[in-house]
Amino acid sequence: MPAVLQAYEKKYGRTLRDALRSEISGNFLKASLAWISALEDPAQANEALTTKKFDEVEDTDELLDALLMENESLGGMMASLDARAIYEACHGFGTSDSKLIKIVSARSKPHLQKVAAAYYEQRDKPMLHRLRKETSGWYKKLLTYLVESPEDADVRALDSAMDGLGADGMAIVDFLVGHSQARVRAAKAKWEGKHDKSLVDRIRSELHGSNKTLALQLLKGERDEQGAPNVELAQQQAETLHKAARGMGTDEDSFILVLAKNSPAQNVATRTAYENKYGRSLDNLITKEMSGNLAKCLQALLLPPADYYAMRLRKAFVGLGTSDKVVVRVLGGHDKADVLAIAAAYQRKYTSHLKDSIKKECSGNYKRLAMAWVSVPDALADPDAPIEIPEETQEKEAAPPEEEEEPEPETPPAPPPPPPAYKPPPAPVYQPTAVAQPVAPPPPTFMTVPVPMGVFPGMTVVVQAPTGQRLAVIVPQGVGPGGVFKVPIPAAAPPPIRYY
């Protein structure tokens, strides 16, 4: 079958998948595409090279390229299988939550994005829409965060924090403090693209005083994340912070300018220098001189991200009732490797397993998914590790508070459908002197799309058609970096019919 696909594209200048999409539809199309996927070589004919020993290969760069392409192709095959398994878990009478939890909890968020794209290609419907339809409560909310991309999850968290009466300052802190500058910038761009507004202006209107100053400083993305600590600078900063807390009132802006711009390593050095020079902790000074979200945010800047989020989860479990909103936001907003690091920090700090705390404080399928997410390893990265999910129970899950229905997530990008045939409007009732004949639409034309380096089958690229339209297209199977494929160009609007 791979040879047939290559021969078809070479002879007719378009992929067999594109030809099938333009000629057939419905279940026949789905079955045909599934059959092609099943017969394709998942290794993309790279096994002849990748199975050789390293010292037997003459061109190591060619070997590395083949390994990357083979890995990406196998990942695409696994995504296609996972998409079918998720459909089967949701199809029929009732949802197989155990099967659904087992698939989602043992995958990384980037892989789940590929699964969503494969599901859309197979079903012509967004996977997340189906999952949200089949689930409810906190289970539905956590599942939504996990399946969404990191920037979409951040946009959802920001909207939840700023919509309604009053802003959830700690939710904004969670977004700004614990994430990388690159992720903050990506979420900012996504939020502004969705709302056609400035996130800076929105936060400026929601927060006040030093909280606003700190949030705007962090939103600039000027924090040096990888910088090595400077001992001499740390001593100077410790003295600056000591002077800022002396006298009547505290110069909060000095704390913000120092801690919000430092790298995590530099903040640790400054905290150590302060403790050595003044015989008290910098954390204690912040608690004494400041309060509320500002104090919590500045204290968070002194901690590694995993330790900070472990602390947030611990506080969510303590007290009367569990803050499920915090649990969902923290666990759902982090990828598999990050959440396992948070679980390790939680155990180190509080001498108890995060999984056990979730079991005690949460309920229902929401509890089962959360427990699996923080304990089950990525099965694709470690295929030999056992996948154990909590057993199904009959306990009733606590319902989330009443709120407006969340907007459905955006539909994943998909190849544009062929343009519909043009139908001219009916002629007017009066008798014209002469009637022009309707102009038939031009036959569909195609444009060649080159595949950039680093882009593999199943991934999406944005191209500009000769008509000026921007199209989001998915790279078909069998076409790798440097290759080309063809897509139909949407026809321009036909000229109007004129009567004389």
Side-chain angles (χ1 to χ4, degrees):
M1 193 64 190
V4 174
L5 297 176
Q6 294 176 2
Y8 188 95
E9 185 174 359
K10 182 177 180 180
K11 183 172 183 179
Y12 298 107
R14 63 188 299 196
T15 65
L16 180 57
R17 278 189 172 86
D18 288 339
L20 290 173
R21 288 191 180 98
S22 64
E23 298 296 333
I24 60 179
S25 60
N27 291 331
F28 184 28
L29 173 61
K30 293 177 182 178
S32 301
L33 296 178
W35 181 248
I36 291 176
S37 299
L39 295 179
E40 277 186 321
D41 177 12
Q44 294 292 302
N46 287 307
E47 284 186 345
L49 181 60
T50 57
T51 53
K52 290 183 178 180
K53 296 181 179 179
F54 188 79
D55 54 1
E56 296 177 351
V57 178
E58 297 180 0
D59 189 345
T60 56
D61 289 340
E62 182 182 2
L63 173 61
L64 292 174
D65 289 341
L67 286 170
L68 289 172
M69 186 175 296
E70 183 181 62
N71 181 70
E72 185 68 23
S73 178
L74 291 172
M77 181 195 70
M78 287 302 304
S80 180
L81 294 174
D82 286 343
R84 292 193 189 111
I86 287 177
Y87 172 78
E88 291 171 0
C90 298
H91 190 62
F93 183 72
T95 302
S96 176
D97 294 295
S98 294
K99 187 173 183 180
L100 191 59
I101 292 171
K102 187 174 183 179
I103 297 171
V104 173
S105 65
R107 301 291 186 264
S108 66
K109 287 174 75 72
H111 180 77
L112 290 174
Q113 293 295 294
K114 294 180 181 179
V115 175
Y119 187 98
Y120 190 84
E121 182 175 354
Q122 294 171 11
R123 307 293 166 189
D124 289 331
K125 295 179 181 179
M127 182 178 77
L128 191 51
H129 287 196
R130 180 63 185 267
L131 293 178
R132 288 169 60 83
K133 181 181 178 181
E134 298 290 334
T135 56
S136 61
W138 293 114
Y139 177 40
K140 168 183 175 181
K141 292 179 182 294
L142 179 56
L143 197 59
T144 299
Y145 271 101
L146 292 179
V147 175
E148 283 182 322
S149 65
E151 56 268 24
D152 284 333
D154 289 337
V155 168
R156 181 178 294 275
L158 285 171
D159 285 340
S160 177
M162 295 187 293
D163 289 346
L165 184 62
D168 184 348
M170 281 309 299
I172 299 175
V173 168
D174 287 342
F175 164 66
L176 293 173
V177 172
H179 295 323
S180 67
Q181 299 295 291
R183 179 163 172 178
V184 169
R185 288 192 292 268
K188 178 176 179 290
K190 185 82 174 183
W191 189 94
E192 292 176 341
K194 175 183 177 182
H195 296 283
D196 292 325
K197 296 178 182 178
S198 166
L199 181 58
V200 171
D201 291 342
R202 180 64 187 272
I203 289 182
R204 186 185 295 275
S205 68
E206 294 288 346
L207 301 180
H208 306 282
S210 297
N211 288 316
K212 177 173 70 177
T213 303
L214 177 57
L216 295 178
Q217 178 62 47
L218 291 172
L219 199 58
K220 290 179 181 179
E222 296 177 350
R223 205 177 174 202
D224 182 11
E225 294 176 303
Q226 305 299 328
N230 184 319
V231 176
E232 183 178 350
L233 176 61
Q235 293 173 348
Q236 295 174 3
Q237 290 179 337
E239 185 175 352
T240 299
L241 297 178
H242 181 70
K243 290 180 179 179
R246 294 176 62 184
M248 294 293 294
T250 301
D251 183 3
E252 296 174 343
D253 288 348
S254 293
F255 280 81
I256 293 172
L257 291 176
V258 170
L259 299 180
K261 285 189 176 182
N262 278 351
S263 67
Q266 183 63 38
N267 274 341
V268 171
T270 300
R271 180 180 63 187
T272 302
Y274 186 91
E275 291 174 356
N276 293 338
K277 186 170 184 178
Y278 299 105
R280 63 184 296 193
S281 69
L282 185 54
D283 185 87
N284 181 268
L285 175 67
I286 292 173
T287 302
K288 179 181 177 181
E289 298 294 333
M290 284 161 271
S291 61
N293 290 337
L294 177 63
K296 293 176 183 177
C297 189
L298 292 176
Q299 289 171 328
L301 291 171
L302 300 176
L303 296 172
D307 286 48
Y308 169 71
Y309 286 116
M311 178 191 70
R312 293 287 292 129
L313 288 171
R314 181 69 171 185
K315 291 185 176 180
F317 296 141
V318 174
L320 184 61
T322 301
S323 179
D324 294 292
K325 182 179 290 187
V326 174
V327 176
V328 167
R329 187 171 65 236
V330 172
L331 297 185
H334 287 88
D335 199 5
K336 175 61 70 175
D338 297 326
V339 84
L340 293 178
I342 293 171
Y346 189 96
Q347 183 178 356
R348 171 173 46 81
K349 288 169 65 70
Y350 307 112
T351 64
S352 62
H353 291 279
L354 177 57
K355 179 180 178 181
D356 293 339
S357 296
I358 294 173
K359 182 178 181 180
K360 179 181 177 182
E361 300 294 335
C362 304
S363 59
N365 286 321
Y366 159 51
K367 175 183 72 175
R368 299 174 67 213
L369 177 59
M371 290 174 63
W373 182 244
V374 303
S375 59
V376 174
D378 182 352
L380 299 185
D382 188 5
D384 295 328
I387 301 177
E388 299 178 356
I389 63 171
E391 295 181 359
E392 192 168 357
T393 63
Q394 299 299 323
E395 63 180 333
K396 188 176 181 181
E397 178 185 329
E402 291 287 336
E403 59 181 25
E404 293 184 8
E405 181 65 22
E406 298 173 353
E408 289 292 341
E410 296 178 2
T411 298
Y422 171 69
K423 295 182 179 180
V429 294
Y430 60 86
Q431 292 295 327
T433 306
V435 180
Q437 294 298 318
V439 180
T445 56
F446 294 84
M447 61 180 287
T448 300
V449 178
V451 180
M453 296 305 295
V455 177
F456 299 93
M459 300 178 69
T460 302
V461 295
V462 179
V463 297
Q464 185 167 4
T467 58
Q469 298 167 282
R470 292 177 64 81
L471 311 175
V473 296
I474 295 179
V475 178
Q477 294 293 331
V479 184
V484 296
F485 62 99
K486 294 191 176 184
V487 296
I489 302 174
I497 297 177
R498 300 183 181 276
Y499 295 91
Y500 302 93

